[in-house]
Amino acid sequence: MPAVSKGDGMRGLAVFISDIRNCKSKEAEIKRINKELANIRSKFKGDKALDGYSKKKYVCKLLFIFLLGHDIDFGHMEAVNLLSSNKYTEKQIGYLFISVLVNSNSELIRLINNAIKNDLSSRNPTFMCLALHCIANVGSREMAEAFASEIPRILVAGDTMDSVKQSAALCLLRLYKTSPDLVLMGEWTSRVVHLLNDQHMGVVTAAISLITCLSQKNPDEFKTCVSLAVSRLSRIVSSASTDLQDYTYYFVPAPWLSCKLLRLLQCYPPPEDGAVKGRLVECLETILNKAQEPPKSKKVQHSNAKNAILFEAISLIIHYDSEPNLLVRACNQLGQFLQHRETNLRYLALESMCTLASSEFSHEAVKTHIETVINALKTERDVSVRQRAADLLYAMCDRSNAKQIVAEMLSYLETADYSIREEMVLKVAILAEKYAVDYSWYVDTILNLIRIAGDYVSEEVWYRVIQIVINRDDVQGYAAKTVFEALQAPACHENMVKVGGYILGEFGNLIAGDPRSSPLVQFNLLHSKFHLCSVPTRALLLSAYIKFINLFPETKSTIQEVLRSDSQIRNSDVELQQRAVEYLKLSSIASTDVLATVLEEMPPFPERESSILAKLKKKKGPGAVSVSELEEGKREGGELNGGSDRGADTAAMAASNASTPSPQADLLGLRSTAPVGSAAPSAGSLLVDVFSEAGPATPSAAVNDDGFLSSAPPSEDPAPPLSEADELLNKFVCKNNGVLFENQLLQIGIKSEYRQNLGRMYLFYGNKTSVQFASFTTTVSCPGDLQSHILYMQEHFVEPLVEGGAQVQQVLNIECLTDFCDAPLLNIKFRYGGALQNLTLKLPVTINKFFQPTEMASHDFFQRWKQLSQPQQEAQKIFKANHSMDTEVLKAKLLGLGTALLDNVDPNPENYVCAGVIQTKNQQVGCLLRLEPNAQAQVLSHTHTHTHTHTHTNLYSCL
C-alpha cells in the first residue's frame, strides 16, 4: 500500500474532530455539526471548482458526521468523483464513503460500477484491491450481476499479483454468500481448486475459505480438492516452525490455514484412495502426538493456536467415525483437558466428548472419564461448563451406569442453576425411563424428581409416569405405596398431589389392606392438600374421590359430604362446580354395577413415542439437535410401555365407560393393524419398548406380486446393486448406525436396534442439493428365498417430494424367521432436474444382528464346546488380518458382532472367547466362538461351534 505523505494529514478534519470532542453538551455538538454541514454544502455548490484534496477533506468530514449518528443527504456525487482520481488517498476515501453510505438501490450505482470496472482493468494492484474491497463491502445483488463473471478471471489469471488474488477470493466468497445463483464457477472450478497448491500461503488461506463454501453447496464439483487439501496439510503438519517463518504463529506453523484445511475435509467422507487416506491418518496422528509434546512457549497464544488445530482434527476424526484407534486417542486427549485450568478448554473438551459418546468405537473410552465429568458437574464455577457436563453424562449413559448417572443428576438438581433445571429434569426423566430394568426404581426416581425440582417438572413428565404405571401391573402396588408415603410430607409439591391423586384413585385398593393406608386415611391425606392446589389439580382430585366411592363403598358418605358442601356445588369455578354436582348425583342414583362400569380402571395407554423426548428436542431448538440425536430419539421413544402423548386427565378416567378389549398384541404390526381401542401388549415383555411408535401403522402399504413392499408403484425396473454395495454392507456388520450411502445428491443415514428376533430400522434420506427431488420412492425386496427367512413391514412412507436441504425418514420393522445369508435390497428412485436417479443398495441386516450375548464360566464354556464337537456343528477358518490387530479394536469388533466377550476363560490370554444365542422365530441357535490371533504372521484363526448345522456358513459370511 502506498505510503501516505505528510501533506495528506487534512488539518481541517483534525480541527473539526477536536471541536466535536470539546463540546460540553449534545446541543453544542449539533450546533457545531450544522455549522460544518452548511459550510460543506456551500463549498460543494460554489462556483469555484474544488481540488482533489478539498473534496477528500470534506467527504471525510461527512463520513465522520455520519458515523456520529447524523443523517447525510448530500456529498455522494463528490465521493463518486474521487473514484476517478489517480491519487491513492483520494480514491481510498471515495471507496470508503461509498462502502459505508451508498445504498445498493442508489441512482449512482451505475457510475460507481463504471469506476470499479476501470480500476479492475487498470492492472494497478493497489487500485484493483480497493475496487475488490468495495464490491465485497457493498455485496449487493447489483454488484454480483456486474462483476461475478469478472472476478474469477482475475483470481486464476497467471499475471495477477498475490495480494490481488487474496482480495479476489474473499470478494468472490462474499458475492457467493449473498447471491449464489449468480456466481457460477463452471470452467474456473479446477483452476480455483488448484489454488490450494499456490506457493503463497496467503493466497491458499483466502482461497480455502472460498472452496469450503463452494464445496458445501456443490461437493461433487470440488471433490478433487480433498487430495490437494491432504497434501497441503501434510506439508504443514510435518514442517518445523522455521520452515514457514512468515506464517508461523508462536511456534505453530500456519494455524489458521491448518484449521481451514481440516474444516474443508469435514465436507467430504473419508478419502477412497488408500494412499490419500493413509497420508491423512498420518497427519491426524501427528497432530495428536504434538498435543502431547511439552509446549514450546508459555504464551497463551501458543497454546490457543495449538489447541485450535487439535480440536479441528478431533472434529474430523469424529466426522469420519471410521478409525477406532484415532477415536480412542482423541477421547483420551480430550480427557486430559477435562481437568485443565483453562475454562474454555474444559468446555470444548466436554462438548467434543458429547459427540464421541455417540460413536460405538469410543463410547467405552468416554465412559472411563465419568468420575471426572461428575466432579465437573459439582465443582465448575461456569454454568455453561456445568451444562456441557450434564449433556455429556446424558450422552455417555447406558444400562451399566444409568443408576449412578441419574443419582448424580438428581443430586446436582438441588443446587443447579435455574436456567438449566427444566432441561435437566427432562434428561433425568428420559434416562430413568430408557434404562429402567427395575420399574420400582423408575417410580422412585420420578417421585424424587418431583420432590427436588417440582416447579420444573412439566406435565409431560408426570403424564409419562402415570402411563407407565397403568401399563405395568407389576409396579402398580409399589407406586401406590410410594406415592402415599410421599404425600405424607408436610410440604408437598402440587405435581406430587396430581400423581398421588391419579395413582391412588386407580390403585389405592392395592394398599388398602394395611391399616396405616386404609381407604379413609388415603382420602383424608388427599383432601388435606385440596385447599392448597390450583383449579386443574382440584378437578383431578374430585375425579379421584368419585373413584374412591367405587373402590371403597365405606367412604361414600364422607366423600358425598365433601361434594355436597357449598365450597364445591356453589364453587365460582364452573368446572369444579359441574364435577361436584355430577359426581354427587352419580354416586347417589347409580347402582353398584353401573358405578363399577362407569368408573372402571383406566385401560392401558397406546404405545407411542415418548412425549418427554419430543419436549427436550423442542426445548433445544431446531438447530441445536444433531441428526444422530434425532435418530436416537426415535429409538428411545418407547423404552417403557405407554408412550402416549395424551394428558393423564382424570376427567377421562371418570368418564371411561367401556371395558378394555385385550387381543393378543401384534408387536410388529405384521399381521394386521390393531384395533383402535385395543390394549397395549403384555407388560411382561420388553420387546414392545423397541417397537413403540406414534400412531398406528399406515395401512396403505402396497405389496407387489414379487413380495416387494414399496411406498409407491415403481414405474421402472430397479437398478442392479451398486458395485460397492457389499463394501457398504460390511461396514455395518459390527455397528448399527452411520451413513450407509452418500453421493453429491443424496445421503442415506441408518439407525437400527434389535431385540431377540425382532428389529427396527430407521432410514434417513437427506437431499444435499438446493433442488427438489420429485417422485421419490423406495422399495425393499428380499431376493431369492430370503422372503421365507426374514420379513419386512414398512410403517411409514416417504413423501414423494423431498425439498432441497430437507431430510425424510422411513421406518422398517424386521422379524427373523430362520437363519439367513443374503441381505435385503433397498431401491431408491427419484427425479432430479428431470433426470431419473435409480440406485440399489444392500440393507445391513445380517444374521449376527440377532445375537443375544450369553455369559458363562470357563468350565461351562468348554463343557458345552465338547458337546458340540460333531463335524457339521464345528467350523474353523484361518484368514489374513485386513486391519491392525490391536487388542482394543478386536474387542470392539467382537462386541459389535453381538456376542458376549468372556474374560479369563481361555488358558491362553491372547485368545478371545465369545458366546451368544442367535434368536430366530422358529428356533434358538447357540454359538461359541474362539479367535486366536497370531501377531507375527498377521493371521487370525477363527473356530466356532453351533447347535444348528447350517448356521456356520451364514455366520462366516459376516465375519
Side-chain angles (χ1 to χ4, degrees):
M1 184 181 290
V4 179
S5 64
K6 193 173 181 179
D8 289 329
M10 292 186 288
R11 183 173 176 275
L13 174 64
V15 171
F16 173 61
I17 293 173
S18 179
D19 290 347
I20 293 293
R21 288 177 175 171
N22 291 330
C23 289
K24 302 298 184 184
S25 65
K26 186 71 175 175
E27 291 75 16
E29 178 184 309
I30 293 174
K31 184 177 179 181
R32 178 68 182 89
I33 287 173
N34 287 338
K35 178 183 175 182
E36 191 64 37
L37 288 174
N39 176 52
I40 296 172
R41 188 177 270 110
S42 65
K43 294 290 185 182
F44 284 167
K45 290 185 176 179
D47 297 332
K48 185 179 179 181
L50 296 174
D51 60 5
Y53 171 80
S54 299
K55 282 184 184 178
K56 178 183 70 170
K57 180 178 67 175
Y58 293 134
V59 167
C60 264
K61 287 182 178 181
L62 290 175
L63 184 57
F64 179 71
I65 292 169
F66 176 78
L67 294 177
L68 288 176
H70 301 273
D71 292 333
I72 300 297
D73 56 2
F74 69 98
H76 298 77
M77 194 64 207
E78 283 70 18
V80 173
N81 290 337
L82 284 175
L83 299 184
S84 58
S85 171
N86 286 323
K87 292 190 70 175
Y88 169 76
T89 54
E90 294 173 10
K91 191 183 287 288
Q92 180 193 36
I93 296 301
Y95 275 124
L96 183 60
F97 185 93
I98 287 164
S99 299
V100 175
L101 270 90
V102 173
N103 189 289
S104 59
N105 299 323
S106 171
E107 297 175 355
L108 298 174
I109 203 74
R110 186 170 295 175
L111 291 174
I112 295 169
N113 285 352
N114 287 335
I116 290 174
K117 282 182 180 176
N118 291 335
D119 283 338
L120 289 179
S121 58
S122 68
R123 311 311 295 170
N124 182 323
T126 306
F127 292 174
M128 291 176 76
C129 284
L130 283 174
L132 290 166
H133 294 169
C134 179
I135 296 170
N137 285 331
V138 176
S140 65
R141 189 169 182 84
E142 291 74 15
M143 290 279 191
E145 289 174 346
F147 303 110
S149 59
E150 175 70 13
I151 296 173
R153 185 187 60 77
I154 297 172
L155 177 61
V156 300
D159 57 347
T160 303
M161 291 187 65
D162 293 331
S163 59
V164 179
K165 283 185 179 180
Q166 288 176 259
S167 298
L170 296 177
C171 178
L172 197 59
L173 173 61
R174 163 71 169 159
L175 295 183
Y176 185 77
K177 286 183 175 179
T178 55
S179 306
D181 56 316
L182 297 177
V183 181
L184 304 173
M185 300 307 296
E187 58 184 304
W188 310 112
T189 299
S190 61
R191 298 177 68 180
V192 169
V193 169
H194 276 82
L195 287 174
L196 292 175
N197 277 336
D198 198 279
Q199 293 182 346
H200 193 276
M201 297 284 279
V203 173
V204 180
T205 306
I208 197 169
S209 297
L210 172 64
I211 294 168
T212 301
C213 187
L214 293 169
S215 298
Q216 289 170 346
K217 295 293 179 68
N218 305 291
D220 201 51
E221 291 182 25
F222 291 87
K223 63 183 178 182
T224 54
C225 71
V226 173
S227 58
L228 296 178
V230 171
S231 175
R232 174 64 81 170
L233 179 66
S234 177
R235 277 179 275 165
I236 295 172
V237 169
S238 60
S239 66
S241 58
T242 53
D243 296 341
L244 301 168
Q245 287 185 349
D246 293 341
Y247 287 88
T248 297
Y249 179 77
Y250 287 88
F251 303 101
V252 181
W256 283 274
L257 179 55
S258 299
C259 288
K260 289 186 176 186
L261 286 166
L262 289 164
R263 200 165 293 169
L264 171 62
L265 291 171
Q266 291 175 48
C267 298
Y268 291 92
E272 296 177 359
D273 188 309
V276 175
K277 186 176 182 179
R279 196 171 184 183
L280 177 57
V281 170
E282 285 180 15
C283 291
L284 296 172
E285 288 177 342
T286 304
I287 293 171
L288 292 174
N289 291 335
K290 285 186 175 182
Q292 299 289 340
E293 295 175 0
K296 296 180 180 178
S297 169
K298 293 183 179 180
K299 299 273 188 178
V300 68
Q301 292 92 336
H302 170 73
S303 61
N304 283 348
K306 191 175 174 183
N307 291 330
I309 298 172
L310 174 63
F311 275 102
E312 281 300 335
I314 290 173
S315 295
L316 181 62
I317 293 169
I318 294 171
H319 169 72
Y320 284 165
D321 194 21
S322 60
E323 296 292 332
N325 286 333
L326 290 178
L327 284 162
V328 172
R329 284 194 62 187
C331 181
N332 294 336
Q333 181 62 51
L334 291 172
Q336 296 177 19
F337 286 145
L338 292 180
Q339 296 177 321
H340 199 279
R341 58 186 176 85
E342 177 62 42
T343 305
N344 290 335
L345 273 182
R346 297 197 300 274
Y347 179 93
L348 291 171
L350 289 166
E351 190 174 47
S352 297
M353 287 183 83
C354 282
T355 314
L356 275 174
S358 64
S359 170
E360 61 182 313
F361 297 116
S362 53
H363 182 77
E364 292 298 323
V366 172
K367 282 168 57 179
T368 61
H369 301 285
I370 184 170
E371 296 299 334
T372 308
V373 179
I374 290 172
N375 186 55
L377 187 67
K378 294 177 178 177
T379 60
E380 276 290 347
R381 294 181 181 180
D382 192 307
V383 61
S384 61
V385 180
R386 292 199 297 273
Q387 186 164 5
R388 292 286 81 79
D391 290 343
L392 179 53
L393 283 176
Y394 177 76
M396 70 166 64
C397 189
D398 59 21
R399 294 199 184 278
S400 66
N401 56 19
K403 289 192 176 183
Q404 180 188 6
I405 287 177
V406 168
E408 292 294 346
M409 284 186 160
L410 281 172
S411 174
Y412 172 64
L413 255 178
E414 298 191 32
T415 56
D417 300 84
Y418 295 111
S419 58
I420 66 171
R421 282 195 179 187
E422 186 179 0
E423 187 176 328
M424 286 284 294
V425 166
L426 292 173
K427 287 181 174 177
V428 170
I430 290 168
L431 293 179
E433 175 184 338
K434 181 179 177 185
Y435 297 115
V437 177
D438 178 3
Y439 291 97
S440 58
W441 171 75
Y442 170 74
V443 171
D444 288 338
T445 300
I446 299 300
L447 294 183
N448 208 11
L449 194 62
I450 295 173
R451 181 186 62 79
I452 293 170
D455 290 338
Y456 299 90
V457 174
S458 61
E459 289 187 336
E460 286 82 0
V461 175
W462 75 265
Y463 286 175
R464 190 72 175 142
V465 70
I466 285 173
Q467 292 161 9
I468 289 165
V469 170
I470 286 178
N471 284 20
R472 297 197 64 90
D473 299 335
D474 56 338
V475 80
Q476 290 164 359
Y478 181 82
K481 178 176 177 292
T482 308
V483 81
F484 174 78
E485 293 171 352
L487 286 172
Q488 292 175 341
C492 193
H493 195 275
E494 188 168 337
N495 280 334
M496 187 72 79
V497 178
K498 291 176 181 176
V499 175
Y502 199 111
I503 290 179
L504 291 180
E506 288 290 330
F507 310 114
N509 60 309
L510 299 177
I511 60 170
D514 190 332
R516 292 171 297 178
S517 55
S518 64
L520 208 54
V521 173
Q522 291 184 41
F523 169 74
N524 289 332
L525 180 60
L526 282 177
H527 196 55
S528 67
K529 314 291 182 185
F530 188 89
H531 66 288
L532 301 171
C533 298
S534 62
V535 170
T537 307
R538 291 184 185 188
L540 187 147
L541 288 177
L542 289 178
S543 297
Y545 296 168
I546 191 67
K547 282 275 191 172
F548 267 40
I549 292 178
N550 178 46
L551 290 175
F552 315 117
E554 63 268 30
T555 62
K556 181 175 180 178
S557 58
T558 307
I559 293 174
Q560 283 181 334
E561 282 299 317
V562 171
L563 296 175
R564 196 177 288 118
S565 63
D566 285 350
S567 61
Q568 303 302 336
I569 62 174
R570 297 183 186 276
N571 198 296
S572 58
D573 186 86
V574 176
E575 175 66 23
L576 293 181
Q577 184 187 102
Q578 183 176 355
R579 289 196 184 209
V581 171
E582 290 181 357
Y583 292 165
L584 179 60
K585 203 68 175 174
L586 178 65
S587 65
S588 302
I589 65 172
S591 66
T592 306
D593 292 339
V594 172
L595 203 62
T597 304
V598 173
L599 301 175
E600 188 181 30
E601 185 179 306
M602 284 289 287
F605 287 75
E607 302 301 329
R608 295 186 185 173
E609 179 184 358
S610 172
S611 55
I612 308 176
L613 196 78
K615 183 174 178 68
L616 181 61
K617 294 176 195 173
K618 184 178 179 182
K619 182 171 177 59
K620 282 189 174 184
V625 184
S626 66
V627 172
S628 63
E629 280 177 307
L630 290 172
E631 295 166 352
E632 182 73 13
K634 288 294 182 184
R635 182 171 62 85
E636 290 171 2
E639 270 302 317
L640 296 178
N641 290 344
S644 171
D645 289 337
R646 61 177 176 163
D649 184 2
T650 46
M653 171 180 78
S656 62
N657 56 9
S659 61
T660 307
S662 55
Q664 189 65 26
D666 178 14
L667 296 182
L668 290 175
L670 294 176
R671 296 186 287 274
S672 63
T673 303
V676 174
S678 63
S682 165
S685 172
L686 271 176
L687 284 175
V688 72
D689 303 346
V690 184
F691 304 118
S692 61
E693 184 57 38
T698 309
S700 55
V703 181
N704 60 26
D705 295 335
D706 298 324
F708 294 177
L709 195 146
S710 63
S711 55
S715 55
E716 290 86 3
D717 292 333
L722 297 176
S723 57
E724 65 269 26
D726 287 325
E727 182 183 350
L728 296 173
L729 173 70
N730 292 339
K731 291 180 180 179
F732 284 84
V733 169
C734 292
K735 65 177 183 177
N736 290 335
N737 58 290
V739 176
L740 175 62
F741 173 78
E742 185 171 15
N743 62 10
Q744 68 271 26
L745 304 179
L746 178 70
Q747 183 188 60
I748 303 176
I750 195 167
K751 190 83 176 180
S752 54
E753 185 175 32
Y754 298 85
R755 292 280 178 88
Q756 297 185 14
N757 69 311
L758 303 175
R760 166 162 286 182
M761 181 179 291
Y762 293 91
L763 295 168
F764 299 86
Y765 305 98
N767 183 348
K768 294 172 63 176
T769 72
S770 56
V771 180
Q772 184 186 68
F773 289 168
S775 304
F776 193 94
T777 61
T778 61
T779 306
V780 176
S781 61
C782 297
D785 62 349
L786 186 59
Q787 185 70 38
S788 61
H789 292 251
I790 188 167
L791 183 62
Y792 276 84
M793 175 66 186
Q794 185 168 338
E795 284 193 349
H796 293 291
F797 297 104
V798 183
E799 293 294 330
L801 295 178
V802 183
E803 298 296 335
Q807 183 189 77
V808 294
Q809 175 190 302
Q810 185 177 28
V811 183
L812 298 175
N813 284 334
I814 308 159
E815 184 178 20
C816 180
L817 304 179
T818 64
D819 64 313
F820 61 95
C821 186
D822 294 329
L825 300 179
L826 171 67
N827 176 254
I828 303 105
K829 293 179 194 162
F830 60 92
R831 293 197 176 273
Y832 171 74
L836 176 67
Q837 308 293 323
N838 186 348
L839 61 101
T840 301
L841 304 165
K842 290 187 176 182
L843 276 178
V845 181
T846 48
I847 188 65
N848 66 292
K849 300 296 183 186
F850 303 97
F851 253 130
Q852 192 82 16
T854 304
E855 297 288 344
M856 58 175 63
S858 176
H859 173 74
D860 297 333
F861 179 87
F862 286 106
Q863 183 179 14
R864 187 66 176 148
W865 185 283
K866 291 175 183 177
Q867 291 173 355
L868 302 174
S869 58
Q870 296 180 23
Q872 65 269 29
Q873 291 179 319
E874 183 174 347
Q876 183 176 23
K877 188 171 184 180
I878 299 174
F879 52 91
K880 189 77 174 174
N882 294 327
H883 304 284
S884 167
M885 292 177 63
D886 182 84
T887 302
E888 294 303 318
V889 175
L890 286 174
K891 284 184 177 180
K893 289 187 179 297
L894 288 171
L895 289 172
L897 195 65
T899 58
L901 191 59
L902 308 180
D903 296 325
N904 304 319
V905 171
D906 197 292
N908 184 352
E910 299 295 323
N911 294 346
Y912 300 92
V913 175
C914 306
V917 177
I918 297 174
Q919 301 278 349
T920 71
K921 184 178 180 181
N922 298 337
Q923 62 185 344
Q924 294 184 341
V925 183
C927 174
L928 304 178
L929 183 149
R930 193 178 188 186
L931 192 68
E932 302 171 70
N934 186 332
Q936 294 180 346
Q938 285 292 299
V939 296
L940 293 160
S941 173
H942 168 258
T943 310
H944 64 255
T945 61
H946 294 279
T947 57
H948 189 252
T949 56
H950 301 296
T951 306
H952 63 80
T953 306
N954 299 339
L955 190 58
Y956 264 140
S957 66
C958 299
L959 294 168

